[in-house]
Amino acid sequence: MGKLALLGDYTKIKTGKLDANASSENGKYPFFTCSKIPLEIDSYSYDCECVLVAGNGDLNVKYYEGKFDAYQRTYIIESLDKQKLDVKYLYYFLDMYVEQLREMSIGGVIKYIKLGYLTEAQIPLPTMKEQREISDILDHASTLIEKRKAQIAKLDLLIKSQFIAMFGDPVLNPIGWKMKRLKEIVKIKSSKRVYQRELTTEGIPFLRVSDLVSRITCDTDICDLYISDELFDNFIANGLVPKANDILVTSRGTLGLCYIVKSTDRFYFQDGMISWLKKQEHDINSLYLAYLFQSDFIRKQIDQVSSGSTVNYISLANLSDFKILFPPLDMQNRFAAFVTKVEKSKTKMQQALAQQQLLYKSLMQKCISANFSC
């Protein structure tokens, strides 16, 4: 059985000193910011084994041992005595505790945590032998998850390689495929405005950008706003609801993600935040077009036209003028068939990954508790 202790009594906590823009390309050392993925930097200020906690924005936890530097709002947490608190065990505790930190975070647009939220945290302290056993078990589980993620990443690379093999680099267009403006291929629309008074607590899901991003990236239907069936039927009658194989594009915040509408979908979406590509021409495959939007070819066009002082957005006019690589339809269809086949394998792997992650969280909860029972 482990005792509960205040984290501040067993750790030394400091923050980085640098601005987020202190990073350098191809730097020698990791530069930890609030992002999940560390940047790089040419110099280092710290050389230790520690846990790093993002102090604002996307709260996350990382373990590192070696030379590095850190953003001024990143907490650097070291064990005062590694014979009493194992750093890897500390990492796994904080990786679990981060959910509570998110609930406690304060602030307006950008949430942040106070130092006291860390120092006052109560950490179970089993014996060192038990701490290391827990770390070994969770290391193994974490390694299995990372291997599964790597397999999924390889499938994404496989699709990218197939695209290049069939069509060449769209930026260079070495094969000389025809180019068209997006407005020549699809009709580009936004939805009809839905007013606050028209939103309900049940009915037809009303998607904001964040809801659509969740559908695209996590395949989850997260929605807490709705419109009435009557209003939705009115939109259908007036041709204002996307049909199967139309494409929705995120146009504010997270830019350029594509969702291909399914025949079974029943939802409406936020005007001005999500753009609607309505198929007008039979010579474009929706899956091909959606994949092209994730290529560097389109991403560069997005970067060139995106604007906004606080949140980036793409106007319908700018979206309409995007250049689209336009190979023959039969080649688009063959590429789409390949993607569909790979995506089936990817879906199975993602389901397996989700199950592994659930088991990992359950295992972590079981192991890191006041009553050690792993």
Side-chain angles (χ1 to χ4, degrees), residues 160-257:
K160 186 174 183 178
S161 297
Q162 181 68 8
F163 185 95
I164 297 297
M166 292 183 68
F167 308 114
D169 183 346
V171 175
L172 302 174
N173 193 15
I175 304 175
W177 300 116
K178 184 190 298 183
M179 291 282 184
K180 289 191 176 186
R181 299 288 179 181
L182 188 60
K183 61 187 175 185
E184 299 177 76
I185 300 170
V186 296
K187 187 173 183 179
I188 303 172
K189 306 177 65 175
S190 61
S191 62
K192 182 176 175 59
R193 185 175 181 184
V194 174
Y195 294 92
Q196 185 70 31
R197 66 177 182 274
E198 296 175 303
L199 296 172
T200 63
T201 56
E202 59 182 15
I204 303 299
F206 178 74
L207 304 187
R208 294 158 293 189
V209 172
S210 58
D211 303 320
L212 187 61
V213 169
S214 292
R215 279 184 175 236
I216 296 167
T217 60
C218 306
D219 196 27
T220 54
D221 293 339
I222 300 173
C223 186
D224 56 9
L225 295 177
Y226 302 85
I227 60 173
S228 67
D229 289 80
E230 181 182 5
L231 182 59
F232 185 67
D233 290 341
N234 178 268
F235 288 156
I236 292 176
N238 287 281
L240 298 173
V241 175
K243 296 181 178 179
N245 291 317
D246 286 352
I247 299 174
L248 301 181
V249 182
T250 56
S251 299
R252 188 174 178 85
T254 303
L255 302 179
L257 295 184

Side-chain angles (χ1 to χ4, degrees), residues 148 348-360:
R148 183 70 69 181
K348 290 180 181 178
M349 288 189 183
Q350 287 172 328
Q351 290 170 344
L353 174 62
Q355 186 63 31
Q356 282 179 303
Q357 289 172 325
L358 282 174
L359 291 171
Y360 172 76

Side-chain angles (χ1 to χ4, degrees), residues 73-127:
R73 295 191 180 179
T74 298
Y75 290 104
I76 304 164
I77 309 175
E78 297 177 71
S79 172
L80 285 173
D81 185 345
K82 294 182 183 179
Q83 297 306 310
K84 294 180 179 178
L85 176 60
D86 181 72
V87 180
K88 256 302 181 66
Y89 173 80
L90 171 64
Y91 162 72
Y92 284 117
F93 166 75
L94 286 169
D95 196 32
M96 181 179 68
Y97 189 69
V98 73
E99 295 299 331
Q100 293 186 49
L101 291 175
R102 291 189 178 111
E103 291 176 5
M104 292 188 292
S105 62
I106 56 178
V109 177
I110 300 177
K111 300 289 186 181
Y112 65 93
I113 58 173
K114 294 181 177 180
L115 175 61
Y117 296 170
L118 295 169
T119 57
E120 298 301 313
Q122 290 191 315
I123 180 172
L125 275 186
T127 65

